[in-house]
PDB file of all heavy atoms in Angstrom:
ATOM      1  N   SER A  76      85.396 102.416  99.602  1.00 95.00           N
ATOM      2  CA  SER A  76      86.288 101.250  99.820  1.00 95.00           C
ATOM      3  C   SER A  76      85.573  99.917  99.794  1.00 95.00           C
ATOM      4  O   SER A  76      86.175  98.849  99.550  1.00 95.00           O
ATOM      5  CB  SER A  76      86.997 101.378 101.228  1.00 95.00           C
ATOM      6  OG  SER A  76      86.072 101.543 102.223  1.00 95.00           O
ATOM      7  N   HIS A  77      84.251  99.897 100.038  1.00 96.00           N
ATOM      8  CA  HIS A  77      83.574  98.647 100.116  1.00 96.00           C
ATOM      9  C   HIS A  77      82.042  98.901  99.996  1.00 96.00           C
ATOM     10  O   HIS A  77      81.542  99.925 100.413  1.00 96.00           O
ATOM     11  CB  HIS A  77      83.769  97.895 101.349  1.00 96.00           C
ATOM     12  CG  HIS A  77      83.609  96.402 101.203  1.00 96.00           C
ATOM     13  ND1 HIS A  77      83.540  95.518 102.308  1.00 96.00           N
ATOM     14  CD2 HIS A  77      83.392  95.581 100.117  1.00 96.00           C
ATOM     15  CE1 HIS A  77      83.376  94.314 101.937  1.00 96.00           C
ATOM     16  NE2 HIS A  77      83.308  94.285 100.636  1.00 96.00           N
ATOM     17  N   SER A  91      81.335 101.761 102.939  1.00 97.00           N
ATOM     18  CA  SER A  91      82.345 102.471 103.689  1.00 97.00           C
ATOM     19  C   SER A  91      83.049 103.267 102.657  1.00 97.00           C
ATOM     20  O   SER A  91      83.308 102.853 101.451  1.00 97.00           O
ATOM     21  CB  SER A  91      83.322 101.477 104.305  1.00 97.00           C
ATOM     22  OG  SER A  91      83.806 100.526 103.507  1.00 97.00           O
ATOM     23  N   SER A  92      83.774 104.354 103.142  1.00 96.00           N
ATOM     24  CA  SER A  92      84.343 105.273 102.238  1.00 96.00           C
ATOM     25  C   SER A  92      85.651 105.958 102.739  1.00 96.00           C
ATOM     26  O   SER A  92      85.878 105.915 104.034  1.00 96.00           O
ATOM     27  CB  SER A  92      83.328 106.452 101.846  1.00 96.00           C
ATOM     28  OG  SER A  92      83.926 107.417 101.163  1.00 96.00           O
ATOM     29  N   ASN A 124      91.106 107.980 103.710  1.00 93.00           N
ATOM     30  CA  ASN A 124      91.630 106.569 103.503  1.00 93.00           C
ATOM     31  C   ASN A 124      91.926 105.841 104.797  1.00 93.00           C
ATOM     32  O   ASN A 124      92.891 105.084 104.887  1.00 93.00           O
ATOM     33  CB  ASN A 124      92.985 106.672 102.761  1.00 93.00           C
ATOM     34  CG  ASN A 124      92.739 107.427 101.292  1.00 93.00           C
ATOM     35  OD1 ASN A 124      91.795 107.001 100.579  1.00 93.00           O
ATOM     36  ND2 ASN A 124      93.613 108.350 101.094  1.00 93.00           N
ATOM     37  N   ARG A 125      90.994 105.918 105.763  1.00 96.00           N
ATOM     38  CA  ARG A 125      91.173 105.269 106.958  1.00 96.00           C
ATOM     39  C   ARG A 125      90.082 104.239 107.243  1.00 96.00           C
ATOM     40  O   ARG A 125      90.154 103.469 108.185  1.00 96.00           O
ATOM     41  CB  ARG A 125      91.329 106.263 108.147  1.00 96.00           C
ATOM     42  CG  ARG A 125      92.521 107.125 108.004  1.00 96.00           C
ATOM     43  CD  ARG A 125      92.600 108.220 109.086  1.00 96.00           C
ATOM     44  NE  ARG A 125      92.641 107.652 110.372  1.00 96.00           N
ATOM     45  CZ  ARG A 125      92.694 108.354 111.514  1.00 96.00           C
ATOM     46  NH1 ARG A 125      92.672 109.715 111.406  1.00 96.00           N
ATOM     47  NH2 ARG A 125      92.744 107.779 112.751  1.00 96.00           N
ATOM     48  N   VAL A 126      89.066 104.347 106.499  1.00 98.00           N
ATOM     49  CA  VAL A 126      87.887 103.347 106.676  1.00 98.00           C
ATOM     50  C   VAL A 126      87.922 102.402 105.444  1.00 98.00           C
ATOM     51  O   VAL A 126      87.779 102.776 104.304  1.00 98.00           O
ATOM     52  CB  VAL A 126      86.517 104.072 106.702  1.00 98.00           C
ATOM     53  CG1 VAL A 126      85.378 103.086 106.928  1.00 98.00           C
ATOM     54  CG2 VAL A 126      86.583 105.038 107.882  1.00 98.00           C
ATOM     55  N   HIS A 127      88.262 101.173 105.719  1.00 97.00           N
ATOM     56  CA  HIS A 127      88.671 100.182 104.627  1.00 97.00           C
ATOM     57  C   HIS A 127      87.612  99.248 104.262  1.00 97.00           C
ATOM     58  O   HIS A 127      87.675  98.759 103.165  1.00 97.00           O
ATOM     59  CB  HIS A 127      89.926  99.408 105.086  1.00 97.00           C
ATOM     60  CG  HIS A 127      90.985 100.337 105.554  1.00 97.00           C
ATOM     61  ND1 HIS A 127      91.644 101.153 104.707  1.00 97.00           N
ATOM     62  CD2 HIS A 127      91.699 100.413 106.735  1.00 97.00           C
ATOM     63  CE1 HIS A 127      92.637 101.791 105.363  1.00 97.00           C
ATOM     64  NE2 HIS A 127      92.689 101.314 106.583  1.00 97.00           N
ATOM     65  N   SER A 128      86.653  98.958 105.080  1.00 97.00           N
ATOM     66  CA  SER A 128      85.717  97.874 104.843  1.00 97.00           C
ATOM     67  C   SER A 128      84.498  97.967 105.651  1.00 97.00           C
ATOM     68  O   SER A 128      84.580  98.566 106.810  1.00 97.00           O
ATOM     69  CB  SER A 128      86.425  96.477 104.889  1.00 97.00           C
ATOM     70  OG  SER A 128      85.533  95.378 104.620  1.00 97.00           O
ATOM     71  N   CYS A 129      83.435  97.232 105.322  1.00 98.00           N
ATOM     72  CA  CYS A 129      82.264  97.087 106.201  1.00 98.00           C
ATOM     73  C   CYS A 129      81.609  95.834 106.023  1.00 98.00           C
ATOM     74  O   CYS A 129      81.741  95.100 104.934  1.00 98.00           O
ATOM     75  CB  CYS A 129      81.302  98.211 106.012  1.00 98.00           C
ATOM     76  SG  CYS A 129      80.594  98.327 104.351  1.00 98.00           S
ATOM     77  N   VAL A 142      82.700  97.866 110.940  1.00 98.00           N
ATOM     78  CA  VAL A 142      83.495  98.679 110.075  1.00 98.00           C
ATOM     79  C   VAL A 142      84.847  98.690 110.446  1.00 98.00           C
ATOM     80  O   VAL A 142      85.260  98.760 111.655  1.00 98.00           O
ATOM     81  CB  VAL A 142      82.915 100.213 110.167  1.00 98.00           C
ATOM     82  CG1 VAL A 142      83.691 101.181 109.179  1.00 98.00           C
ATOM     83  CG2 VAL A 142      81.434 100.332 109.896  1.00 98.00           C
ATOM     84  N   ALA A 143      85.771  98.495 109.393  1.00 98.00           N
ATOM     85  CA  ALA A 143      87.211  98.471 109.672  1.00 98.00           C
ATOM     86  C   ALA A 143      87.778  99.897 109.531  1.00 98.00           C
ATOM     87  O   ALA A 143      87.757 100.467 108.524  1.00 98.00           O
ATOM     88  CB  ALA A 143      87.924  97.541 108.578  1.00 98.00           C
ATOM     89  N   VAL A 144      88.326 100.326 110.626  1.00 98.00           N
ATOM     90  CA  VAL A 144      88.886 101.722 110.683  1.00 98.00           C
ATOM     91  C   VAL A 144      90.244 101.625 111.156  1.00 98.00           C
ATOM     92  O   VAL A 144      90.451 101.274 112.405  1.00 98.00           O
ATOM     93  CB  VAL A 144      88.007 102.629 111.598  1.00 98.00           C
ATOM     94  CG1 VAL A 144      88.568 104.018 111.652  1.00 98.00           C
ATOM     95  CG2 VAL A 144      86.532 102.626 111.308  1.00 98.00           C
ATOM     96  N   ASP A 145      91.259 101.999 110.371  1.00 97.00           N
ATOM     97  CA  ASP A 145      92.663 101.833 110.710  1.00 97.00           C
ATOM     98  C   ASP A 145      92.935 100.436 111.227  1.00 97.00           C
ATOM     99  O   ASP A 145      92.651  99.439 110.524  1.00 97.00           O
ATOM    100  CB  ASP A 145      93.088 102.854 111.764  1.00 97.00           C
ATOM    101  CG  ASP A 145      93.042 104.278 111.191  1.00 97.00           C
ATOM    102  OD1 ASP A 145      93.168 104.418 110.072  1.00 97.00           O
ATOM    103  OD2 ASP A 145      92.905 105.193 111.969  1.00 97.00           O
ATOM    104  N   GLN A 146      93.474 100.283 112.376  1.00 97.00           N
ATOM    105  CA  GLN A 146      93.874  99.029 112.985  1.00 97.00           C
ATOM    106  C   GLN A 146      92.601  98.424 113.899  1.00 97.00           C
ATOM    107  O   GLN A 146      92.737  97.336 114.442  1.00 97.00           O
ATOM    108  CB  GLN A 146      95.011  99.073 113.895  1.00 97.00           C
ATOM    109  CG  GLN A 146      96.233  99.513 113.102  1.00 97.00           C
ATOM    110  CD  GLN A 146      97.409  99.756 114.077  1.00 97.00           C
ATOM    111  OE1 GLN A 146      97.423  99.401 115.191  1.00 97.00           O
ATOM    112  NE2 GLN A 146      98.462 100.398 113.498  1.00 97.00           N
ATOM    113  N   ASP A 170      96.558  97.795 109.743  1.00 98.00           N
ATOM    114  CA  ASP A 170      95.305  98.220 109.197  1.00 98.00           C
ATOM    115  C   ASP A 170      94.506  96.968 108.902  1.00 98.00           C
ATOM    116  O   ASP A 170      95.044  96.006 108.323  1.00 98.00           O
ATOM    117  CB  ASP A 170      95.407  99.040 108.022  1.00 98.00           C
ATOM    118  CG  ASP A 170      95.787 100.557 108.321  1.00 98.00           C
ATOM    119  OD1 ASP A 170      95.912 100.795 109.594  1.00 98.00           O
ATOM    120  OD2 ASP A 170      95.763 101.349 107.431  1.00 98.00           O
ATOM    121  N   VAL A 171      93.253  96.980 109.223  1.00 98.00           N
ATOM    122  CA  VAL A 171      92.257  95.906 108.903  1.00 98.00           C
ATOM    123  C   VAL A 171      91.623  96.236 107.585  1.00 98.00           C
ATOM    124  O   VAL A 171      91.034  97.312 107.347  1.00 98.00           O
ATOM    125  CB  VAL A 171      91.117  95.899 109.993  1.00 98.00           C
ATOM    126  CG1 VAL A 171      90.085  94.761 109.599  1.00 98.00           C
ATOM    127  CG2 VAL A 171      91.726  95.625 111.357  1.00 98.00           C
ATOM    128  N   LEU A 172      91.828  95.381 106.630  1.00 98.00           N
ATOM    129  CA  LEU A 172      91.419  95.619 105.148  1.00 98.00           C
ATOM    130  C   LEU A 172      90.017  95.018 104.896  1.00 98.00           C
ATOM    131  O   LEU A 172      89.378  95.408 103.827  1.00 98.00           O
ATOM    132  CB  LEU A 172      92.478  95.136 104.201  1.00 98.00           C
ATOM    133  CG  LEU A 172      93.869  95.659 104.315  1.00 98.00           C
ATOM    134  CD1 LEU A 172      94.711  95.147 103.234  1.00 98.00           C
ATOM    135  CD2 LEU A 172      93.798  97.247 104.278  1.00 98.00           C
ATOM    136  N   ARG A 173      89.653  94.074 105.661  1.00 98.00           N
ATOM    137  CA  ARG A 173      88.434  93.312 105.327  1.00 98.00           C
ATOM    138  C   ARG A 173      87.764  92.728 106.579  1.00 98.00           C
ATOM    139  O   ARG A 173      88.380  92.219 107.491  1.00 98.00           O
ATOM    140  CB  ARG A 173      88.666  92.200 104.407  1.00 98.00           C
ATOM    141  CG  ARG A 173      87.421  91.503 103.747  1.00 98.00           C
ATOM    142  CD  ARG A 173      86.556  92.434 102.923  1.00 98.00           C
ATOM    143  NE  ARG A 173      87.345  92.962 101.863  1.00 98.00           N
ATOM    144  CZ  ARG A 173      86.983  92.720 100.637  1.00 98.00           C
ATOM    145  NH1 ARG A 173      85.938  91.954 100.342  1.00 98.00           N
ATOM    146  NH2 ARG A 173      87.614  93.333  99.575  1.00 98.00           N
TER     147      ARG A 173
END
Side-chain angles (χ1 to χ4, degrees):
S76 54
H77 204 194
S91 55
S92 169
N124 301 312
R125 297 175 61 181
V126 180
H127 305 299
S128 177
C129 62
V142 185
V144 183
D145 292 336
Q146 301 173 11
D170 282 4
V171 179
L172 300 184
R173 187 63 60 115

